[in-house]
Amino acid sequence: MSGSQEILKAASQRLAAAGVETAQLDARYLLAFALGLRLSELGLSSRLEVGFEQQAIFETLLRRRCRREPLQRLIGHWDFWSLDLMMGDAGLIPRPDSETLIETVIAHWPDRSLPLRVLDLGTGTGCLLLAIICEYPKATGLGVDKNPEAVQLAAANAARLGFDARTNFQVGDWGQGLEGSFDLIVSNPPYIPSRQIDELEPEVALYDPRLALDGGGDGLDAYRRIAMDLQRLLAPRGIAVLELGAGQAADVSALLSAAGLELLGLHADLGGVERAILVENRG
Ligand SMILES: C[S@@+](CC[C@H](N)C(=O)[O-])C[C@H]1O[C@@H](n2cnc3c(N)ncnc32)[C@H](O)[C@@H]1O
């Protein structure tokens, strides 16, 4: 048996030496997971005794985290907006920056009773669609992803949260072959220029799926494809809210304007980066 405080201190030092910026917090998450507790149950100053079996589980997790495997994938779930979502190898780990898209939608349509028909292109874990379904109790939605395992993961998240009656998920290539008239299209497409992916932190470069990151030579390939389908798939006065990579606002606005959409605004994330673009179908 060993005390939790000693274990946490040693683990934090190892994580920090491996370059993990949030070493103390990660150590606490992993120990809580190994003990079958929530983070809050670990207590800030409690001195829990940790048995040998739990220490062995913790050690395995710690080694993996020291190799920069993402915390979220090790503990198997993570929060997005107000939702606890299961993570899987096929889904991008949802980023707090992407919550800007949900805030943008709510600012545009404050009336939560709207029966919105929502399309989420590149749904991943389903985070964007499920957050909107949660905020608008009469909304229904379709999530599309090219990766069949991501589609399964998103559907499992919907079922676990009790949103399966209002959502569908299917494999697809952006808007190709889709029909329908959506009030809202959301998307966080892959937008990292291909050559920059290997320069990202190991948690992203080694463990997020390439399909979720790679935006082609200039990072804009997916926007070009998505722009082609927006006007056809949006209802009159329907809106699209797309996530942007840093510095992409001007290029993506030009692409969307050329595709006949009206720019309504750009919304910054908490770091001040223009993160969401809002366009409307006036056609
Ligand atoms: C940046 S991730 C976003 C995932 C999730 N919506 C989020 O915000 O965390 C992009 C997603 O687009 C999917 N994707 C890539 N190419 C696609 C395509 N041609 N058609 C549909 N989905 C695609 C990837 O599999 C990935 O799940």
Side-chain angles (χ1 to χ4, degrees):
M1 290 276 220
S2 298
S4 56
Q5 292 307 315
E6 292 74 25
I7 290 177
L8 284 171
K9 194 171 166 204
S12 302
Q13 286 167 353
R14 282 170 63 189
L15 287 167
V20 174
E21 279 180 19
T22 50
Q24 286 190 16
L25 185 63
D26 284 30
R28 293 173 54 73
Y29 263 112
L30 293 177
L31 186 59
F33 182 74
L35 293 171
L37 299 173
R38 287 188 201 157
L39 188 63
S40 56
E41 291 172 318
L42 198 58
L44 268 176
S45 59
S46 65
R47 301 187 61 83
L48 293 168
E49 289 300 318
V50 183
F52 293 120
E53 203 175 313
Q54 290 158 324
Q55 278 185 56
I57 295 170
F58 179 64
E59 178 59 28
T60 304
L61 293 166
L62 189 60
R63 283 188 192 172
R64 289 171 66 184
R65 186 69 190 102
C66 283
R67 291 197 295 267
R68 307 294 295 272
E69 206 166 322
L71 175 70
Q72 296 89 333
R73 297 197 189 282
L74 292 173
I75 65 173
H77 65 104
W78 200 244
D79 285 349
F80 180 80
W81 198 246
S82 57
L83 308 174
D84 179 32
L85 297 173
M86 293 182 288
M87 299 296 111
D89 291 344
L92 184 92
I93 293 168
R95 311 293 205 262
D97 294 343
S98 303
E99 294 182 357
T100 312
L101 275 70
I102 311 301
E103 288 161 358
T104 301
V105 173
I106 292 173
H108 183 77
W109 280 320
D111 178 1
R112 306 301 177 89
S113 67
L114 290 171
L116 299 176
R117 293 158 299 177
V118 186
L119 173 63
D120 177 11
L121 293 175
T123 198
T125 54
C127 59
L128 297 175
L129 178 59
L130 296 173
I132 289 162
I133 290 292
C134 177
E135 292 298 324
Y136 294 88
K138 292 185 188 155
T140 52
L142 172 65
V144 172
D145 205 288
K146 194 171 183 179
N147 184 338
E149 287 171 37
V151 169
Q152 276 178 13
L153 176 64
N157 272 321
R160 182 159 167 265
L161 294 166
F163 295 144
D164 40 339
R166 291 194 284 134
T167 51
N168 280 302
F169 295 91
Q170 67 187 51
V171 176
D173 186 6
W174 301 130
Q176 195 177 303
L178 290 181
E179 283 174 19
S181 179
F182 294 94
D183 303 299
L184 168 63
I185 298 178
V186 285
S187 184
N188 172 16
Y191 53 64
I192 314 283
S194 312
R195 68 183 177 287
Q196 290 177 15
I197 294 177
D198 290 333
E199 295 160 20
L200 300 173
E201 63 260 41
E203 284 84 347
V204 179
L206 300 178
Y207 295 100
D208 272 331
R210 283 270 148 158
L211 190 62
L213 301 175
D214 194 342
D218 62 358
L220 300 174
D221 281 3
Y223 297 101
R224 291 189 187 92
R225 288 283 315 279
I226 291 170
M228 284 177 358
D229 290 323
L230 288 181
Q231 212 173 28
R232 175 176 63 80
L233 292 171
L234 281 172
R237 306 309 294 254
I239 60 165
V241 180
L242 310 186
E243 180 160 330
L244 300 168
Q248 291 178 331
D251 286 337
V252 176
S253 326
L255 278 172
L256 296 176
S257 300
L261 295 145
E262 191 75 21
L263 175 67
L264 294 191
L266 293 164
H267 292 250
D269 63 22
L270 291 175
V273 173
E274 284 172 333
R275 188 57 71 188
I277 183 165
L278 168 62
V279 293
E280 189 178 54
N281 177 23
R282 298 238 172 112

